[in-house]
Amino acid sequence: MSFASVESLKSRLPGYARDLRRNLDSVIGASDLPLQRLWGTVLSAAIASRSAVVLRELAPEARAVLSPEAYRAAKTTASVMALNNVFFRTRHLLSDEEYGTLRAGLRMNVLADPGVDRTDFEFWAFAVSAVNGCGLCLDAHESALRGAGVEREVVQEAVRIAAVIQAVATTLEAESTLADLEGPGEPGGSGSTGSVGGPGDPGNLGK
């Protein structure tokens, strides 16, 4: 299936990142996931990537595909996992295990009622945890997905989507900055491809 936002992102990627163009097609365009699970993952991972470029491209399509409830839930997932991933990753990394016995004292009520199918929420949370690098959270959400009967191959799709979106975000944000530093046609620069931000105009990337 072809999505306009994916095609637009592909057109922005420089020549050296051509593998990412194919990977976008693979993890989104050719995905067998149900649309709600797919686009909730895409949106929550895009938010977690912290890339305005990527979010501007993917969020409108996600909003068109998802129900209002699912769209809100995907944003909520990215928000609550931004909190959880920092908090629980830190607890996990600390050598003093006593921190794990302390009361968190943080509101996380949405975890009890995410507003969508529980498995979809766990899938999105797993993807965001991959972007944010919280091993403890990854284990918890993977366990919930496996407990719900989701096969490992399907669980891995969340990581594939998260990895590709993060890589695209990193590349495009770097190109946005480098476009201001590198002249047109400079070796390795944005201007050498003509594909970033429109033909012959690499400076359009961040607009």
Side-chain angles (χ1 to χ4, degrees), residues 115-189:
V116 289
D117 176 79
R118 188 78 205 179
T119 304
D120 284 347
F121 167 76
E122 296 290 348
F123 200 86
W124 303 344
F126 183 67
V128 174
S129 297
V131 174
N132 291 333
C134 177
L136 194 65
C137 299
L138 283 167
D139 277 345
H141 295 291
E142 188 272 347
S143 178
L145 288 166
R146 296 287 290 135
V150 182
E151 298 294 331
R152 288 186 179 88
E153 292 79 6
V154 178
V155 173
Q156 184 173 262
E157 287 303 299
V159 184
R160 294 177 73 233
I161 294 168
V164 172
I165 288 177
Q166 181 61 38
V168 170
T170 298
T171 302
L172 292 183
E173 291 298 327
E175 284 296 305
S176 180
T177 300
L178 292 172
D180 295 331
L181 304 175
E182 300 170 344
E186 190 167 326

Side-chain angles (χ1 to χ4, degrees), residues 7-203:
E7 294 304 313
S8 181
L9 279 179
K10 286 164 56 182
S11 74
R12 288 176 173 267
L13 287 166
Y16 66 77
R18 60 183 175 273
D19 283 344
L20 290 181
R21 297 174 187 164
R22 297 187 178 95
N23 287 332
L24 278 169
D25 282 333
S26 175
V27 302
I28 301 178
S31 177
D32 291 327
L33 294 174
L35 282 178
Q36 176 168 295
R37 185 167 298 176
L38 171 63
W39 277 95
T41 306
V42 169
L43 178 59
S44 57
I47 294 171
S49 78
R50 301 170 178 82
S51 169
V53 177
V54 168
L55 193 56
R56 285 192 190 105
E57 291 289 354
L58 294 175
E61 187 129 38
R63 190 169 189 174
V65 171
L66 297 170
S67 68
E69 294 78 15
Y71 183 77
R72 175 185 172 87
K75 294 192 297 181
T76 301
T77 301
S79 177
V80 72
M81 295 313 299
L83 171 73
N84 284 5
N85 292 158
V86 171
F87 184 81
F88 289 107
R89 181 177 67 231
T90 301
R91 272 191 170 183
H92 182 63
L93 291 173
L94 286 169
S95 57
D96 186 346
E97 296 182 357
E98 288 301 312
Y99 284 100
T101 68
L102 301 179
R103 179 175 175 273
L106 298 170
R107 291 180 64 88
M108 307 173 191
N109 292 344
V110 68
L111 297 176
D113 183 15
V116 289
D117 176 79
R118 188 78 205 179
T119 304
D120 284 347
F121 167 76
E122 296 290 348
F123 200 86
W124 303 344
F126 183 67
V128 174
S129 297
V131 174
N132 291 333
C134 177
L136 194 65
C137 299
L138 283 167
D139 277 345
H141 295 291
E142 188 272 347
S143 178
L145 288 166
R146 296 287 290 135
V150 182
E151 298 294 331
R152 288 186 179 88
E153 292 79 6
V154 178
V155 173
Q156 184 173 262
E157 287 303 299
V159 184
R160 294 177 73 233
I161 294 168
V164 172
I165 288 177
Q166 181 61 38
V168 170
T170 298
T171 302
L172 292 183
E173 291 298 327
E175 284 296 305
S176 180
T177 300
L178 292 172
D180 295 331
L181 304 175
E182 300 170 344
E186 190 167 326
S190 312
S192 64
T193 68
S195 62
V196 181
D201 188 6

